[in-house]
């Protein structure tokens, strides 16, 4: 029964878990030239989709428009990008490394090449063992101890009374059957996952709940993670003609970076022009040829080789080698940042940003001191910082949103990708958090600990029952038939306790 519940739980989340781990939760569908987000579960054969730079192709499709340079390293292990031309099939799992492309889906996501690999037993054999679960620790010894007690009872009574010896042996095995232990974890975790899911927090698997409960260090990215922008926060400090706005809009529309998306929102209505030789460098900027013009968008140091000295977040522009000005961004901090800051009493909280330190003074109230905020961090430096914390014995949770966070997310004990748009996030994560639910992070942390406590209590209840039953079973005075009647009562008790307690804990944390 425990395995059945676990299978049903994974049936609900496992295929979605694979999407959420490596694919976007949704994709940009194109209908009559208009883009709109579409959940992957609703993606059908014949639909057109638009894939931007560094996004992963979720289904086998035919290239209809754009220059495809696909990195299939996740599927084949070969990191050199493969060029595809109009009409060629592009398999799911490839990451577009160039400009935005349009594709027509030719197979359902469930039948793509990559998902067939997931269904292969050899592929699914790999497990994440960064943290061993409580159930894994206990189950290693439970059955061994149980068999030793049963055999000990058999050997002890055999010279005295053969019937009593086998009655004791059988009663021990029945009364101490680890059903309650086997059920406590899947029932608790399936209830916990449904609570998280309702609050827009999507976990890769049940083990992540225990990983979340053991975290003692939190590392946050800045742009797109604790800040949120929009077209109203964009200031145009560039003197651009209508045609130049089209050039900037065309290059930025190929990028999934939060600042590029804000620029596109600001320039909404501009016509898209032909883009070629598109290249995006994480943490620096993008460059491409747009309608025959060389266009560069990014940090000041990326464009001019100088030093970034601005006091606000800025994206600079260069057209045909001529500096064309910049866009500045007034970032708004996400709701709940104050609540996260209050976690500093129990957790070490760090800011790890690839941006300049222009907002250091504004962010200081949310962090313990200057040493807890690191700016100008490259993707490799972010990863190395996480690794250094782990070497110091910390259990690290990294929360980020961009490509430059992917290494840190993967290295951390628990990587959470935050997103305001379900088709923009890094694939190397253990969970996905909707941006509007960041304010609930303290509640999520407390609820994960509540869930583990419930498992421990249910195990204690089961253990007490087993000790009581075993004290009679080893004496040979407990009939196997009576043991068989009592054992399901323990199981029913555990099922009722875990289900009710988990939902009460969620209510206490205001998650249901």
């Amino acid at each position: 029964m425990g395995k059945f519940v676990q299978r049903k739980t994974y049936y609900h989340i496992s295929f979605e878990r694979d999407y959420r781990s490596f694919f976007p939760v949704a994709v940009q569908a194109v209908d009559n030239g208009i883009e709109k987000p579409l959940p992957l579960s609703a993606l059908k054969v014949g639909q057109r989709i638009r894939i931007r730079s560094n996004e992963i192709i979720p289904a086998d499709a035919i290239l209809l428009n754009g220059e495809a340079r696909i990195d299939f390293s996740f599927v084949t292990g070969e990191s050199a990008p493969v060029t595809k031309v109009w009409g060629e099939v592009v398999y799911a799992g490839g990451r577009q490394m160039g400009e935005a492309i349009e594709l027509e889906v030719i197979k359902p996501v469930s039948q793509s090449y990559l998902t067939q690999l997931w269904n292969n037993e050899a592929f699914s054999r790999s497990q994440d063992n960064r943290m061993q679960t409580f159930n894994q620790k206990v189950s290693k010894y439970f059955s061994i101890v149980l068999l030793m007690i049963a055999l000990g009872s058999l050997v002890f009574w055999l010279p005295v009374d053969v019937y009593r010896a086998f009655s004791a042996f059988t009663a021990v095995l029945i009364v101490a059957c680890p059903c309650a232990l086997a059920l406590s974890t899947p029932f608790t975790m399936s209830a916990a996952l449904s609570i998280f899911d309702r609050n827009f927090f999507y976990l890769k698997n049940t083990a992540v709940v225990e990983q979340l409960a053991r975290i003692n260090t939190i590392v946050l990215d800045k742009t797109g993670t604790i800040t949120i922008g929009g077209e109203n926060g964009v200031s145009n400090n560039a003197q651009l003609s209508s045609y130049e706005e089209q050039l900037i809009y065309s290059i930025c529309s190929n990028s999934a970076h939060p600042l590029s998306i804000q620029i596109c929102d600001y320039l909404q209505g501009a016509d898209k022009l032909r883009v070629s030789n598109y290249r995006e460098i994480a943490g620096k900027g993008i460059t491409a040829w747009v309608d025959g013009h060389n266009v560069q968008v990014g940090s000041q140091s990326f464009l001019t080789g100088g030093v970034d000295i601005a006091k606000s977040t800025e994206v600079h522009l260069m057209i045909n080698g001529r500096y064309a000005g910049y866009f500045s961004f007034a970032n708004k901090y996400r709701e709940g940042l104050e609540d996260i800051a209050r976690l500093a009493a129990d957790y070490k909280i760090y800011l790890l940003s690839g941006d300049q330190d222009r907002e250091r003074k504004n962010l200081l109230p949310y962090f313990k001191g200057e040493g807890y905020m690191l700016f100008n961090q490259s993707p490799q430096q972010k990863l190395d910082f996480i690794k250094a914390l782990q070497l110091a014995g910390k259990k690290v949770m990294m929360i980020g949103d961009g490509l430059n966070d992917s290494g840190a997310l993967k290295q951390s004990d628990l990587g959470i990708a935050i997103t305001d748009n379900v088709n923009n996030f890094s694939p190397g994560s253990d969970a996905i958090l909707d941006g509007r639910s960041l304010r609930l992070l303290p509640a999520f942390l407390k609820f994960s600990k509540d869930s583990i406590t419930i498992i421990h209590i249910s195990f204690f209840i089961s253990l007490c029952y087993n000790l009581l039953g075993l004290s009679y079973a080893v004496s040979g005075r407990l009939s196997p038939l009576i043991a068989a009647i009592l054992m399901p009562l323990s199981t029913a008790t555990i099922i009722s306790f875990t289900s009710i307690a988990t939902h009460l804990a969620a209510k206490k944390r205001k998650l249901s």
Side-chain angles (χ1 to χ4, degrees):
M1 186 175 178
K3 288 186 178 295
F4 171 76
V5 170
Q6 198 158 10
R7 278 199 304 269
K8 292 302 289 182
T9 301
Y10 282 149
Y11 178 79
H12 175 68
I13 67 167
S14 65
F15 199 71
E16 290 299 316
R17 180 184 70 223
D18 293 332
Y19 288 57
R20 293 168 180 170
S21 301
F22 302 105
F23 288 170
V25 175
V27 69
Q28 290 295 104
V30 181
D31 185 14
N32 295 323
I34 300 173
E35 292 184 27
K36 61 178 181 179
L38 182 72
L40 286 190
S41 57
L43 190 61
K44 297 178 181 177
V45 173
Q47 287 184 306
R48 284 195 174 198
I49 57 175
R50 183 175 173 85
I51 303 296
R52 290 183 170 85
S53 176
N54 289 305
E55 290 183 344
I56 291 179
I57 298 160
D60 296 349
I62 292 177
L63 179 63
L64 297 181
N65 191 17
E67 179 185 6
R69 294 182 68 251
I70 312 296
D71 174 6
F72 282 110
S73 58
F74 176 68
V75 180
T76 65
E78 174 56 57
S79 59
V82 177
T83 301
K84 296 285 185 177
V85 298
W86 181 85
E88 278 195 272
V89 174
V90 182
Y91 292 105
R95 184 194 295 275
Q96 167 64 347
M97 302 303 292
E99 63 185 77
I101 55 176
E102 283 189 21
L103 305 162
E104 182 177 317
V105 177
I106 60 172
K107 279 188 180 180
V109 182
S110 60
Q111 297 177 20
S112 70
Y113 173 71
L114 188 58
T115 49
Q116 288 175 7
L117 280 180
W118 280 328
N119 293 329
N120 185 284
E121 182 184 353
F123 192 86
S124 61
R125 200 178 297 142
S126 175
Q127 298 292 332
D128 186 347
N129 292 316
R130 284 176 291 180
M131 290 188 187
Q132 194 176 39
T133 64
F134 174 75
N135 210 26
Q136 289 171 333
K137 290 178 181 178
V138 173
S139 61
K140 285 195 300 185
Y141 307 105
F142 191 93
S143 296
I144 295 173
V145 173
L146 173 61
L147 289 171
M148 287 175 64
I149 294 173
L151 289 171
S153 302
L154 177 67
V155 172
F156 180 82
W157 291 112
L158 200 57
V160 180
D161 186 339
V162 174
Y163 177 79
R164 190 171 186 177
F166 279 99
S167 290
F169 176 76
T170 309
V172 167
L173 291 179
I174 293 173
V175 79
C177 177
C179 284
L181 176 63
L183 286 171
S184 62
T185 298
F187 267 87
T188 304
M189 292 307 185
S190 62
L193 286 174
S194 67
I195 297 297
F196 284 129
D197 191 76
R198 285 203 297 269
N199 288 278
F200 309 104
F201 187 33
Y202 308 104
L203 277 57
K204 186 168 70 172
N205 54 43
T206 53
V208 178
V209 180
E210 290 201 43
Q211 290 170 224
L212 187 62
R214 298 181 195 178
I215 291 301
N216 55 31
T217 303
I218 301 171
V219 179
L220 299 161
D221 175 49
K222 185 175 79 69
T223 303
T225 300
I226 64 171
T227 64
I228 182 170
E231 60 175 295
N232 294 331
V234 181
S235 298
N236 186 353
N237 297 283
Q239 300 297 321
L240 300 174
S241 66
S242 176
Y243 179 70
E244 287 173 333
E245 287 185 351
Q246 293 176 38
L247 295 176
I248 301 302
Y249 178 81
S250 300
I251 188 173
C252 289
S253 66
N254 289 274
S255 172
H257 192 281
L259 297 181
S260 295
I261 293 171
Q262 289 184 58
I263 291 173
C264 286
D265 290 341
Y266 180 81
L267 298 175
Q268 200 166 26
D271 294 330
K272 287 184 182 177
L273 304 173
R274 171 67 179 169
V275 177
S276 60
N277 297 322
Y278 179 93
R279 191 164 63 98
E280 183 167 350
I281 302 172
K284 295 186 178 180
I286 50 181
T287 178
W289 286 87
V290 184
D291 200 29
H293 299 275
N294 181 236
V295 181
Q296 294 173 287
V297 177
S299 65
Q300 186 175 5
S301 59
F302 174 65
L303 267 60
T304 66
V307 179
D308 292 303
I309 57 174
K311 295 182 179 180
S312 61
T313 301
E314 296 177 353
V315 171
H316 295 259
L317 317 172
M318 189 170 283
I319 301 173
N320 293 325
R322 176 185 64 84
Y323 182 72
Y326 63 92
F327 287 98
S328 61
F329 300 83
N331 286 318
K332 176 184 177 184
Y333 299 129
R334 288 189 188 275
E335 181 187 355
L337 185 57
E338 298 87 352
D339 297 319
I340 294 175
R342 282 195 285 270
L343 289 172
D346 301 307
Y347 298 84
K348 294 284 187 182
I349 303 177
Y350 294 90
L351 179 72
L352 198 60
S353 175
D355 297 339
Q356 303 298 311
D357 62 350
R358 305 177 186 107
E359 295 185 57
R360 182 185 293 273
K361 189 175 292 186
N362 295 336
L363 288 167
L364 195 55
Y366 302 107
F367 297 90
K368 277 189 173 180
E370 298 278 350
Y372 289 85
M373 295 187 292
L374 287 83
F375 295 90
N376 300 306
Q377 298 293 297
S378 68
Q380 183 62 48
Q381 287 174 320
K382 288 186 175 186
L383 189 153
D384 291 340
F385 180 77
I386 299 293
K387 191 181 293 185
L389 289 174
Q390 291 171 324
L391 290 173
K394 305 297 184 184
K395 298 296 183 184
V396 185
M397 175 171 69
M398 171 70 191
I399 307 178
D401 75 311
L403 178 65
N404 60 338
D405 299 318
S406 58
L409 289 168
K410 191 67 176 176
Q411 175 63 39
S412 63
D413 296 291
L414 177 59
I416 298 177
I418 190 169
T419 179
D420 292 303
N421 185 342
V422 289
N423 57 304
N424 293 328
F425 65 86
S426 173
S429 58
D430 299 297
I432 299 170
L433 177 63
D434 191 296
R436 57 190 153 166
S437 293
L438 181 66
R439 61 183 177 83
L440 296 175
L441 183 62
F444 291 149
L445 289 166
K446 291 175 183 176
F447 178 64
S448 66
K449 291 183 177 181
D450 292 340
S451 299
I452 303 307
T453 301
I454 290 167
I455 292 174
H456 291 173
I457 293 173
S458 64
F459 175 73
F460 178 75
I461 293 171
S462 177
L463 189 62
C464 290
Y465 169 84
N466 284 334
L467 290 174
L468 182 63
L470 282 173
S471 64
Y472 285 97
V474 295
S475 68
R477 296 196 301 266
L478 183 64
S479 165
L481 180 61
I482 300 300
I485 293 171
L486 293 175
M487 189 269 289
L489 295 178
S490 171
T491 301
T493 303
I494 294 301
I495 291 174
S496 302
F497 171 75
T498 55
S499 299
I500 294 171
T502 305
H503 284 90
L504 286 176
K507 194 170 184 179
K508 177 183 177 183
R509 303 305 176 189
K510 299 180 180 179
L511 295 175
S512 65

